[in-house]
Amino acid sequence: MSTTTKLTTAQALIRFLHQQYVHRDGVEYPFIKGVWGIFGHGNVAGIAQALHQYPQMPYYLCRNEQAMTHTSIAYAKASNRLQAFACASSIGPGATNMVTGAATATINRIPLLLLPSDYFARRNVGPVLQQLEHPMSQDISVNNAFQPVSRYWDRINRPDQLPWSMLEAMRVLTSPAETGAVTLCLPQDVQTEAHEYNTDLFEKRVWRIPRNRPDEGAFRQAATLIRQAEQPFIIAGGGVLYSEATEALKTVVDRTGIPVGETQAGKSSLPFDHPLNLGPVGATGSLASNKTAAEADVVILIGTRLSDFTTSSKSQFQHPDVKFVSINVNAMDAHKLSALSLIGDAGVTLGMLEEALDAYETSGSYQATIAGRKQQWAEELDRVTHLPATDQLQQPNVIGIVNEAAGEDSVVICAAGSLPGDLHKLWKAYQPGGYHLEYGYSTMGYEIAGGLGVKMARPDKRVVVMVGDGSYQMLSSELITAIQEGIKMTVVLLDNRGYGSIGSLSESVGSQAFGTNYRYRDEGSSQLEGPTLPMDFVKNAQSYGVGVHTAASYQELEKALQACFKADKTQVIVVNVDKEQKVPGYEGWWDVPVAEVAETESAQKARKQYE
């Protein structure tokens, strides 16, 4: 018979999480690295008391619940999903602040453990402060909002339910195929209630991360299809990085001559200067990748969920007989585009392909075409990042300067606005994980909080956050968390006095950038058409205690970057850039519907172009 120990639900949860490990390729990692949280009446006597009692589980204080989910997601992503954080909140708005993080984690296939507080399970004092009263059931709370955006969801209504729920939570979190947000709702009374838990629940438990092999019959069929291809093309997604399969990918392409395009999540799967890396593919793709994808007769998809940006809204692949082979641990993703599905680990499957394609090589003429496109794209990159000087700095030039100054041993972080598209095209990444974009959910406010997570996961790297003024205003608060934790990163804040990306999109659909500029309300028109608002980002950043610099010229930017890299705490560089300048599109398309009927001439014209 097992011995027991009497613990509160919260104490048992923290003790259990502290003993969870993962194992892959002979290396063992503690899985839950700590708990981020903001305490309130819903968890101060539960989770907070347990963390105070068991300091071996690190606790981190953030300023916003959504921000702590971003930091946790970035950490897990930069750790190739082998380590993660838990995020604890009080009841009510603290909990629902984490719903965006849950969606971000699930959409991007990143492990995230959420511990939102809930109402009283015993009900006799309800409705408690911040409790939702639903006329249909006593068992509905605001935490039910997490259900559609979680891979696993449960509410712990009694202390003895905890062990079974925790085991299921860990199964999902550590599964390459199923991982995403896991939400365990914790009623505030249950957190404090005690139970006799079996002590073996708190012994070290190791979860093995499998490297599954695809079905042999499907693999043989895929190998035959690839060997028959005249113009094959690989799309490298985030799964290449999470599987740590970059060397396996390089070996296969070096041997076969098959060119590669990269998704937002997959960028840095091959070094930028690899001769077969044609750069980004899709709506924000390079001309080299997009031309090659359009002509490909066999497209090999590796670890990608095939968002509309990657497929150019399903218009990217134009060969009349195009076939798809998909390598993915997730069956749902593997079957997209009616692909021949190889459900298995990217590293293992690429190793199998290396053997199966041993005698295969693309033709000399195809290799010459690919080499020419690679050269043309390199020349275009040089042109776009060296635009002639004007009265204002140009965003592509700024990206080029930051990229060069940061060096090859750096990580760039971004998430939303016009920057992700420009960075996908222009940023030169040389090492796996050197490019960190959250573009599954494209969450504004992710950047600074995400930079914290990346630096915590990869303290040896130079971390550069690039963020637009719109995204900065949503979640700049985590700058003080960086100071608090002694986390050093460089934040490049590009100020174009509005929502640049959506402003451009608005113009393209005939809405004339309506509502996308930071302006006073005009008394005459009653619209936001007055003078530009006097937002002072320098003073704002200084208030957090970080070092702040400005750059009004490219020379000043280079000087500021060098000063930031030498500093011992987080630095912010404020750079005013031209809002009108755009990086061209390169035969990629994104389907954004335009109003079918409209009174404005610009919208009517946009509709005709759309049709």
Side-chain angles (χ1 to χ4, degrees):
M1 295 290 291
S2 178
T3 58
T4 65
T5 182
K6 191 171 185 178
L7 298 168
T8 69
T9 303
Q11 292 162 4
L13 173 63
I14 296 304
R15 282 188 58 176
F16 174 85
L17 292 177
H18 181 62
Q19 288 291 76
Q20 305 309 298
Y21 290 75
V22 296
H23 179 279
R24 186 168 77 178
D25 298 340
V27 182
E28 194 173 276
Y29 308 86
F31 186 66
I32 299 296
K33 290 292 291 181
V35 178
W36 287 89
I38 295 179
F39 301 134
H41 71 278
N43 62 357
V44 69
I47 291 289
Q49 187 279 331
L51 288 167
H52 180 252
Q53 182 168 310
Y54 299 114
Q56 58 266 40
M57 174 60 79
Y59 164 70
Y60 298 91
L61 171 65
C62 64
R63 272 69 199 169
N64 180 287
E65 291 89 355
Q66 184 181 142
M68 70 187 180
T69 66
H70 298 334
T71 299
S72 302
I73 291 166
Y75 182 93
K77 182 174 180 176
S79 302
N80 292 327
R81 306 193 299 196
L82 294 171
Q83 294 182 299
F85 275 101
C87 295
S89 80
S90 188
I91 182 176
T96 51
N97 275 354
M98 300 195 297
V99 173
T100 293
T104 302
T106 296
I107 285 171
N108 286 286
R109 287 47 165 168
I110 302 295
L112 173 67
L113 177 58
L114 300 177
L115 306 172
S117 298
D118 218 321
Y119 52 35
F120 275 48
R122 56 184 164 86
R123 297 182 180 176
N124 63 314
V125 296
V128 298
L129 179 63
Q130 299 175 326
Q131 177 178 342
L132 174 73
E133 292 184 272
H134 199 287
M136 187 180 77
S137 171
Q138 293 284 335
D139 198 37
I140 294 176
S141 81
V142 296
N143 288 345
N144 288 79
F146 286 96
Q147 288 178 320
V149 292
S150 297
R151 292 292 290 171
Y152 178 78
W153 182 97
D154 198 5
R155 179 178 286 121
I156 311 302
N157 288 305
R158 296 180 358 188
D160 60 342
Q161 294 176 341
L162 182 69
W164 320 111
S165 188
M166 290 191 303
L167 291 168
E168 280 298 286
M170 283 300 302
R171 177 188 64 79
V172 173
L173 287 167
T174 60
S175 167
E178 295 191 45
T179 196
V182 166
T183 304
L184 301 184
C185 308
L186 301 171
Q188 52 195 295
D189 54 341
V190 176
Q191 289 184 44
T192 66
E193 292 172 0
H195 177 71
E196 293 284 350
Y197 290 98
N198 288 342
T199 54
D200 57 6
L201 182 66
F202 309 113
E203 294 176 359
K204 180 178 178 179
R205 188 181 300 266
V206 180
W207 302 80
R208 295 190 177 273
I209 308 296
R211 287 197 179 275
N212 294 333
R213 299 169 67 87
D215 174 76
E216 290 188 11
F219 179 80
R220 287 195 297 270
Q221 186 179 352
T224 299
L225 185 63
I226 296 170
R227 283 194 295 266
Q228 294 171 349
E230 295 181 359
Q231 298 177 116
F233 182 61
I234 290 173
I235 294 181
V240 175
L241 296 167
Y242 305 146
S243 178
E244 299 177 309
T246 55
E247 281 300 315
L249 175 64
K250 181 178 181 298
T251 299
V252 168
V253 301
D254 285 345
R255 180 166 294 181
T256 62
I258 302 176
V260 176
E262 296 175 318
T263 69
Q264 283 278 18
K267 190 175 172 77
S268 76
S269 292
L270 281 181
F272 159 80
D273 53 1
H274 189 284
L276 291 168
N277 184 353
L278 299 185
V281 64
T284 54
S286 71
L287 190 59
S289 269
N290 284 350
K291 278 183 172 292
T292 305
E295 298 169 359
D297 54 355
V298 174
V299 181
I300 306 162
L301 310 162
I302 309 176
T304 173
R305 68 186 191 93
L306 288 175
S307 75
D308 59 346
F309 265 72
T310 298
T311 67
S312 289
S313 298
K314 297 293 200 316
S315 72
Q316 188 63 64
F317 313 106
Q318 293 293 320
H319 191 286
D321 299 314
V322 64
K323 300 291 189 297
F324 299 92
V325 174
S326 183
I327 301 169
N328 209 300
V329 293
N330 185 302
M332 178 179 70
D333 290 334
H335 283 278
K336 290 174 180 175
L337 294 182
S338 299
L340 175 54
S341 304
L342 302 182
I343 302 173
D345 175 78
V348 167
T349 308
L350 282 167
M352 294 169 64
L353 277 178
E354 179 189 347
E355 294 183 17
L357 302 178
D358 184 49
Y360 173 79
E361 186 176 4
T362 57
S363 68
S365 60
Y366 187 57
Q367 292 185 28
T369 298
I370 297 305
R373 288 175 178 170
K374 172 75 175 180
Q375 177 61 33
Q376 290 170 2
W377 177 242
E379 293 171 358
E380 175 65 2
L381 271 183
D382 185 67
R383 183 192 72 81
V384 173
T385 54
H386 292 84
L387 298 173
T390 64
D391 292 340
Q392 290 184 300
L393 301 189
Q394 306 292 304
Q395 183 165 294
N397 291 13
V398 170
I399 290 173
I401 290 170
V402 175
N403 197 174
E404 180 69 23
E408 297 184 8
D409 194 29
S410 63
V411 184
V412 66
I413 296 96
C414 192
S418 62
L419 276 168
D422 288 359
L423 288 166
H424 198 204
K425 295 170 186 171
L426 307 179
W427 191 268
K428 300 176 182 179
Y430 294 91
Q431 297 181 4
Y435 181 86
H436 185 112
L437 264 282
E438 192 292 285
Y439 212 61
Y441 207 38
S442 189
T443 311
M444 294 184 74
Y446 176 93
E447 295 89 344
I448 293 172
L452 296 178
V454 172
K455 188 63 176 181
M456 292 173 75
R458 309 185 74 177
D460 57 318
K461 298 294 183 182
R462 177 175 285 167
V463 171
V464 178
V465 173
M466 297 199 72
V467 59
D469 51 359
S471 203
Y472 175 88
Q473 289 180 75
M474 290 195 176
L475 267 180
S476 62
S477 58
E478 298 315 301
L479 286 172
I480 193 61
T481 306
I483 297 299
Q484 167 187 287
E485 297 294 339
I487 296 172
K488 162 68 187 305
M489 57 186 179
T490 298
V491 178
V492 181
L493 166 57
L494 276 67
D495 177 14
N496 60 16
R497 297 152 300 283
Y499 296 116
S501 175
I502 296 303
S504 298
L505 186 61
S506 175
E507 291 174 353
S508 74
V509 299
S511 296
Q512 302 174 11
F514 175 75
T516 63
N517 295 303
Y518 303 147
R519 295 183 178 278
Y520 286 100
R521 188 168 299 282
D522 181 74
E523 293 183 4
S525 67
S526 296
Q527 300 295 324
L528 299 177
E529 299 173 340
T532 300
L533 293 172
M535 181 66 186
D536 191 330
F537 290 109
V538 172
K539 290 180 179 178
N540 178 268
Q542 286 174 338
S543 71
Y544 292 115
V546 300
V548 183
H549 312 256
T550 59
S553 69
Y554 298 124
Q555 293 76 21
E556 289 181 4
L557 176 59
E558 291 172 345
K559 185 178 179 180
L561 285 164
Q562 294 308 316
C564 289
F565 297 150
K566 293 175 182 177
D568 59 0
K569 66 177 182 180
T570 287
Q571 307 285 301
V572 174
I573 306 174
V574 180
V575 186
N576 292 326
V577 295
D578 180 6
K579 188 180 181 185
E580 301 304 318
Q581 191 282 325
K582 310 290 191 300
V583 176
Y586 298 98
E587 299 188 10
W589 183 62
W590 189 35
D591 191 346
V592 178
V594 181
E596 189 170 357
V597 294
E599 295 179 1
T600 58
E601 183 180 350
S602 57
Q604 294 169 2
K605 181 179 179 181
R607 177 67 191 190
K608 290 179 180 179
Q609 292 173 337
Y610 174 75
E611 291 173 353

